[in-house]
Amino acid sequence: MRRIAVLGATGSIGRSTLDVIQRHPDRYQVTLLSAHRSVDDMEVLCRAHQPTHAVMGDPDAAAALAERLTDLSAVTVESGAAFLDDLVAEPNVDSVVAGIVGFAGLRPTLSAARAGKTILLANKEALVSAGGLFMETVRQGGATLLPVDSEHNAMHQCLPVASDGRPDMVDVEKIILTASGGPFRGRSRSSLDAVTPAEACAHPNWSMGQKISVDSATLANKGLELAEACWLFDRSPDEIEIVVHPQSIVHSMIRYRDGSVLAQLGQPDMRTPIAYCLAWPERVDAGVEALDIVSAGRLDFEAPDLEAFPCLALAQWAISQPGGMCVFSAANEIAVAAFLSGEIRFTDIHKVIDAALKATDLAEPDSLDAVQALDQKAREAAQESIASGLTRSGS
Ligand code: NDP
Ligand code: MG
């Protein structure tokens, strides 16, 4: 029986994880659930899974949840990030599903790494912002790191992997990172000025949380994933090729030195990579419909349009700068939130990131404090650029 902590339980990744877990009560037991403010959803999940602990980031939400669960004496409700850091490291947790969105996911994931847990990593922002620190903590803590993000999960599936989960890259010539192209594939930059948050979140293939849906629409997500692949597979950006594949059936590929290209194919359903990570190195039923390759019919591939989607070009530049992706990711979080609340246009998102990259002193952060300080500076620079309306001028 593996004991699982699901961080970000009320989100898209959290729910998909709990759906797979529910299919295998003989293999998995949920011991910890966390969310931020979604009290109603957490109450339902706590009743269904009966974890030992439920942690809400927001203190008022924690008080409200505790009130609702007075009849469930087995579940202790806690509040705040510090509790979460401690609880993921407890001996009653074997695997930690890192499904919190954004920089807020960094601390508990680092804590799980320090405690040598098996980490099912969905939260890419943590790795992108603090890659060096994160990978070193995984190594020193003896943690097993398994990528949930579908592309990186595909790469992991196409590589020989050691018993500690570490991939063997020795004969690899190139990683081919696929991108769906998002809901606006084929559109020009100028035609995207007036797109709404609802349109940006309507992904053609995947059902995901709002932030990553907007990231997919701007292609910022592919920039974050480029950095994620560099850290996870110890490659430089020029050893990774980004290819748009609108059907989202091939989830990524590995080209070996003999010319062989291995790909992982599957339905665009996160339960497949989640089930792979939960059961690794075995396989379990994920509840996913079988892929019918004949009815899928065709697999198309094309180059990304960097002119229409400048966030990807910005990420490709930022990745070569010390601390650049920490600033990119923080500014992107601010810009996406501002777009979702109607403060800025879709086509302003890259301008906010660009302004933050220019306004922040870039340096490689070598400690958690340094990462947090750089993240904070980037957020302030992004907020300032939004407040000053700078993003409205130019393109
Ligand atoms: P969602 O927005 O659907 O869910 C986010 C979860 O994080 C919720 O449980 C939310 O709780 C919790 N949360 C939000 N803010 C905080 C905070 N400050 N402190 C603690 N918890 C917080 O996101 P997704 O599930 O879509 O994405 C999660 C992560 O996985 C992201 O990093 C994303 O990039 C990555 N990912 C997602 C994929 C997908 O298919 N969705 C695919 C690949 C990667 P509450 O409900 O209470 O707000
Ligand atoms: Mg992905």
Side-chain angles (χ1 to χ4, degrees), residues 242-255:
I242 298 173
V243 172
V244 172
H245 164 50
Q247 291 89 359
S248 298
I249 288 175
V250 174
H251 296 304
S252 275
M253 299 176 251
I254 301 287
R255 193 171 85 218

Side-chain angles (χ1 to χ4, degrees), residues 36-313:
H36 191 42
R37 291 205 182 98
S38 303
V39 175
D40 292 349
D41 290 350
M42 261 302 250
E43 182 187 356
V44 174
L45 295 179
C46 286
R47 291 190 184 282
H49 296 278
Q50 310 248 337
T52 321
H53 287 94
V55 183
M56 301 301 284
D58 179 75
D60 294 340
L65 182 66
E67 184 79 16
R68 302 259 193 104
L69 295 178
T70 43
D71 61 315
L72 267 189
S73 56
V75 184
T76 307
V77 179
E78 308 282 9
S79 153
F83 266 112
L84 194 55
D85 294 353
D86 291 344
L87 288 170
V88 295
E90 288 285 316
N92 74 341
V93 171
D94 300 311
S95 299
V96 176
V97 179
I100 292 176
V101 61
F103 191 75
L106 175 61
R107 273 186 48 178
T109 314
L110 272 178
S111 175
R114 228 175 275 123
K117 306 296 182 186
T118 295
I119 300 170
L120 283 62
L121 186 72
N123 175 292
K124 61 192 91 186
E125 295 91 344
L127 185 55
V128 165
S129 297
L133 177 71
F134 187 85
M135 295 307 284
E136 184 54 22
T137 310
V138 165
R139 203 187 57 73
Q140 281 184 5
T144 300
L145 186 57
L146 300 171
V148 168
D149 207 351
S150 60
E151 296 78 2
H152 308 76
N153 186 268
M155 296 164 199
H156 199 266
Q157 295 203 39
C158 294
L159 288 162
V161 175
S163 59
D164 63 358
R166 250 182 259 190
D168 177 355
M169 302 299 295
V170 81
D171 292 316
V172 172
E173 202 173 63
K174 202 105 189 176
I175 292 176
I176 301 164
L177 170 63
T178 56
S180 68
F184 306 133
R185 185 179 62 87
R187 301 258 305 253
S188 67
R189 194 196 300 194
S190 57
S191 77
L192 297 174
D193 264 345
V195 298
T196 65
E199 288 169 319
C201 288
H203 197 281
N205 306 332
W206 297 95
S207 158
M208 308 182 285
Q210 282 196 315
K211 194 258 175 184
I212 185 174
S213 295
V214 175
D215 287 350
S216 298
T218 60
L219 292 200
N221 184 51
K222 222 35 67 177
L224 297 173
E225 290 186 351
L226 176 63
E228 189 184 6
C230 288
W231 287 114
L232 287 173
F233 301 104
D234 195 21
R235 296 283 108 165
S236 60
D238 59 340
E239 293 170 300
I240 301 172
E241 181 182 350
I242 298 173
V243 172
V244 172
H245 164 50
Q247 291 89 359
S248 298
I249 288 175
V250 174
H251 296 304
S252 275
M253 299 176 251
I254 301 287
R255 193 171 85 218
Y256 287 91
R257 70 163 84 232
D258 63 0
S260 294
V261 178
L262 299 195
Q264 184 261 349
L265 281 68
Q267 296 279 10
D269 186 324
M270 287 308 292
R271 288 176 301 174
T272 294
I274 289 167
Y276 170 85
C277 293
L278 280 170
W280 183 85
E282 297 169 18
R283 300 263 179 182
V284 292
D285 174 19
V288 174
E289 200 188 325
L291 174 65
D292 179 350
I293 199 75
V294 174
S295 75
R298 52 185 289 173
L299 303 174
D300 295 306
F301 299 94
E302 62 196 41
D305 182 347
L306 298 179
E307 156 54 31
F309 301 100
C311 284
L312 179 54

